[in-house]
Amino acid sequence: MSHLAKALFGVIASTLAGTCVVVALVAGMTGLWPLLGAAATGGIVALPVSALVARGLGG
């Protein structure tokens, strides 16, 4: 993973994790574990997304 992708990961991961948590709350999930799972899913999805964004930016 390039340095640019590592730098972008923090921003992209927090954005995707927050979005997944909001989607889970709108879907009616209010327990701790479903919300933690949604946040973890956003963090995992952020790995390839940050690599793709870095590649698109030329890093």
Side-chain angles (χ1 to χ4, degrees), residues 2 6-7 9 11 13 15 19 21-23 25-27 33 37 39-40 43 45 49-51:
S2 70
K6 289 178 184 177
F9 176 75
V11 175
T15 302
T19 302
V21 168
V22 169
V23 168
L25 287 170
V26 170
W33 293 109
V45 169
V49 171
S50 62

Side-chain angles (χ1 to χ4, degrees), residues 29-49:
M29 298 178 195
T30 57
L32 174 66
W33 293 109
L35 295 179
L36 286 177
T41 301
I44 291 170
V45 169
L47 285 169
V49 171

Side-chain angles (χ1 to χ4, degrees), residues 1-9 50-59:
M1 186 179 276
S2 70
H3 292 290
L4 179 59
K6 289 178 184 177
L8 290 171
F9 176 75
S50 62
L52 288 173
V53 170
R55 186 179 303 151
L57 291 174

